Amino acid sequence: MNQTTDHQQKAGTSAAPNAQLRSYFDFADDAKEVEFKRHDTPTPWMNYLSNGTFHTMMSQAGGGVAFYKSPQIWRITRYRFFHLPTDRSGPYIYLQDAASGSYWCPTYEPAFSKPEQWKSAHGMGYTRFEAQQDGLAAKTVYFVGPYANSLIWNLTLTNNSDAVKELNVYAYAEFGMMEFMRELQWQCYNKHQVSVQYHEKEALVYKYGVENQPKPDETPLIYFAADTPLYSYDGDRDEFIGTYRSESNPAAVEAGGCTRSTLLGGDPCGALQFKLTLAPGETRTVNVFLGAAMNEEEIAEAIDLSREEDFVARSFAALRENWSSYLSRLECRLPDEEANRMINVWNPYQAQRNFQFSRNISFYATGTFRGVGYRDTAQDILAVVPFDPQAAKEKVKLLLTQQYQDGHVNHYFFPTEGWDPVTSIHSDDHLWTALAVWDIVAETGDASFLQEAVTYYDGGEGTIYEHLKKAIEFTASKLGPNGFPLMLRSDWNDQLFRVCRKGRGESIWTAMQLGVVLLKMKELAPLAGAPGDAARYEELYAEQRKLVNSLGWDGKWFRRAVMDDGRFLGTDEHDEAKIWLNAQTWATMSGMADQDKGIQAMDSVRDILDTELGIKKLHPSITTFPDPADPLTNYNKGTGENGAVFCHANTWAIIAECLLGRGDQAYKYYRQLIPGVAMEKAGINRYKAEPYVYASNLFGPESDKFGLANVSWLTGTAAWMYVAATQYIMGIKPVLEGLRIDPCIPAQWDRFTVNRKFRGCEYRITVENRSHASKGVQSIRVDGQLIEGQIIPAYPDKASVLVEVVM
């Protein structure tokens, strides 16, 4: 049963030629940028500007939101996620001809009058706009540098006309009330407790003074300043924008100047006005700073620092150098330019932002409630380990503070906000950490990490290894009637809470996840000084493996779960939800599947679940199963967790195919979800999301919007896709003994190269595939010397080694 033809016909109705995509955007790979030729992308295409403390999410048309540490309690500016007009508000600049009164914005939006020429670009930690109108050229670079907690607006103006230009330049930001949910609920009272005042440093200072804040002593003051003499200003949004107007036609701009308003209660904003005169051919630079500081003294210091002559240039250079150094940890050259672009630049960039923000705030997520998800963050760590193992260690330790002495963990938590965690208990959450810890030890070679002490959420402390051991013990103590782990609240698929509401539902997938963890723990136990634990891990693994291959096998694929009433989920006996992707992939990833069953299961994935836009999460989609009065999900057919292409889960299919040695199939699954490739197949106005970062899911073929991408940027797809590409397709995988080289590639590839920094040494790897094999290493030479096996040892005393691999 192969559905690919039907899927292709349905998606093909919205397919677009490459030329249409390129009318919107193009990649500048040498600069590590994506360039936009039109502002009106199907959705706002975002970038994240951050130094780890001060953050801004910004679109290709200038919309976006700034926040300090947390978008829940210290959101500085307003952004209206689902309202029209789309993508408002943002950190805007208005350029006005003082003689005619006409004005426009270098960001294209929001002024009604548009520039004659315009383009923008997202780079690594910055966004740039270049525009021209009536002989005035403007280039604006927005970024957050490492030396101050501020968004820097670096505006360069050039008079390309033959006449002198008298200009009014306005910088504008609409301030929010910081606590987003309280603003929605109580703004009628809270707005009377905020203020915007003029500061002697020619700046505006916004104070959020609302009572009963979660952390009032840590709430910053917000300053808005520039390095150019200030002509006028406004702190009252009503005065700057006016009544029944918007950012498109501010009253103060149309009147030719700000009103010098301040604010003691009301709707706050920051508006700075500068007067400039540019002779023909003259260039002037204005730098604006939207920043956070804890008191008036720190504000003065920050403004003085920002106005130093080389501050902006120095900050931008440091930002560029930081990202250049970060991305240099792994660089590849494959015979596929789209893959090179993703693996070398955009995938690790996205993965780092996931690591930083979890699932907190994006164009799709309002940043109101998610905090730090335990399972999400544990997986995000995997793609950061190769680049910043110390940050990965700190994140693991933060997660483990949420573990209880019995081994379970809080589902998500709020370390910045200090709110109570979400305490629902899921069968998978606590197990993910072991994968991250194993990766850290493999990357660094430092087993002492296992002995570091971390407190438990309910008191006491244990070593990191003891935390991981307790996670396994918790699962082993929560087995159901059939012997599989109990589902508890749910497993990775949150929608499965409906199969276990009576507490008897079991997760066959969690048994497989446990299998992956047990194999890791068997290797870690001796390093942690507990070699005797390995036998218990082997025993538990064997028990679960037997169950997976017996009760878990349905004949052509593996079953997904056992429901409260004892019926299996994911069986050919049912009319809906017959086959589930994760049970097939993790059966192989865990090594639990008998070889013939693993191959048959992945063949079923290919024949039943695969489409040209990715693999469906399940099939057929659910409408009435198991009970029309209480179906398993409320998602529409082909959406979300109900028959959509769940990109996160697709990554595990890539890994499974690599483990089976089927490189062509693995690469098909990988390549068809490269965002730009998927967009070209679906059509830009169907796909809609960014073509440079992964989305969480695409609507599936049972939807009338097959190919619509949802929830981009902050998704586990980023981490696992990077792991799949680098460790399984390219086969460059750190292990406890060194660096394993075991590629699984398309047979047509002749060669590829990788530069990988590992334990203090740069491995310059060339893989030759003259025999056109998909899997199998014939020989490996390091600096000309033949080594046995596939594992290259660490060379801490060498700056670099040359590795020659023949397949």
Side-chain angles (χ1 to χ4, degrees), residues 406 473-480 484-488:
D406 70 355
E473 291 171 348
F474 179 80
T475 297
S477 71
K478 302 289 183 183
L479 302 179
F484 296 111
L486 287 170
M487 186 77 71
L488 305 176

Side-chain angles (χ1 to χ4, degrees), residues 188-207:
C188 55
Y189 299 116
N190 290 355
K191 68 194 300 182
H192 302 149
Q193 302 174 53
V194 302
S195 65
V196 180
Q197 296 293 301
Y198 179 76
H199 190 279
E200 62 182 6
K201 290 283 187 180
E202 290 196 346
L204 294 177
V205 176
Y206 168 51
K207 180 179 180 180

Side-chain angles (χ1 to χ4, degrees), residues 86 144 206 247 365 382 436 448 494 565 599 653 675 722:
T86 299
V144 178
Y206 168 51
E247 303 96 334
L382 301 178
S448 67
D494 287 310
D565 61 7
I599 292 172
Y722 191 76

Side-chain angles (χ1 to χ4, degrees), residues 42 65 109 111 147 152 176 245 286 290 292 336 357 400 423 459 471 480 494-495 502 509 579 588 618 643 709 713 747:
V65 58
E109 293 292 345
Y147 305 127
I152 298 172
R245 290 172 174 263
V286 177
L290 175 64
D336 185 333
F357 298 115
L400 290 177
T423 58
D494 287 310
Q495 285 296 300
K502 296 179 181 178
W509 173 83
I579 177 172
T588 290
L618 61 87
W713 268 107

Side-chain angles (χ1 to χ4, degrees), residues 161-180:
S161 74
D162 296 329
V164 173
K165 286 193 176 292
E166 300 287 345
L167 302 175
N168 288 317
V169 177
Y170 305 86
Y172 171 76
E174 180 182 358
F175 296 138
M177 293 184 189
M178 289 205 174
E179 295 177 87
F180 185 60

Side-chain angles (χ1 to χ4, degrees), residues 195-378:
S195 65
V196 180
Q197 296 293 301
Y198 179 76
H199 190 279
E200 62 182 6
K201 290 283 187 180
E202 290 196 346
L204 294 177
V205 176
Y206 168 51
K207 180 179 180 180
Y208 179 72
V210 175
E211 61 193 0
N212 299 320
Q213 298 178 47
K215 292 187 175 181
D217 293 340
E218 299 178 38
T219 298
L221 298 172
I222 304 304
Y223 63 88
F224 199 34
D227 64 357
T228 298
L230 186 63
Y231 179 79
S232 190
Y233 56 85
D234 273 312
D236 187 331
R237 189 190 68 178
D238 290 346
E239 294 297 325
F240 184 77
I241 297 293
T243 304
Y244 280 86
R245 290 172 174 263
S246 73
E247 303 96 334
S248 296
N249 57 341
V253 176
E254 296 200 344
C258 292
T259 68
R260 294 183 175 262
S261 65
T262 56
L263 185 94
L264 289 172
D267 290 301
C269 78
L272 306 178
Q273 180 185 1
F274 318 99
K275 282 192 171 291
L276 301 180
T277 300
L278 268 68
E282 184 180 1
T283 296
R284 290 280 300 274
T285 298
V286 177
N287 292 301
V288 177
F289 313 101
L290 175 64
M294 298 314 299
N295 53 52
E296 295 278 351
E297 181 179 352
E298 289 188 11
I299 285 176
E301 292 173 356
I303 292 174
D304 287 343
L305 172 66
S306 301
R307 287 172 175 167
E308 290 179 1
E309 185 176 358
D310 66 341
F311 172 79
V312 173
R314 185 161 47 92
S315 297
F316 192 65
L319 173 71
R320 298 294 299 272
E321 174 54 32
N322 288 345
W323 276 108
S324 177
S325 175
Y326 186 90
L327 295 174
S328 71
R329 297 278 303 177
L330 190 152
E331 298 174 303
C332 67
R333 178 56 58 189
L334 310 179
D336 185 333
E337 287 306 312
E338 285 93 349
N340 288 330
R341 178 181 301 127
M342 290 304 299
I343 296 168
N344 290 329
V345 181
W346 294 103
N347 194 342
Y349 181 59
Q350 179 185 5
Q352 194 279 337
R353 292 321 198 201
N354 274 264
F355 177 85
Q356 188 171 14
F357 298 115
S358 190
R359 305 298 177 267
N360 217 334
I361 187 167
S362 68
F363 175 68
Y364 303 87
T366 57
T368 54
F369 72 96
R370 283 294 289 271
V372 177
Y374 196 99
R375 77 156 70 102
D376 297 329
T377 302

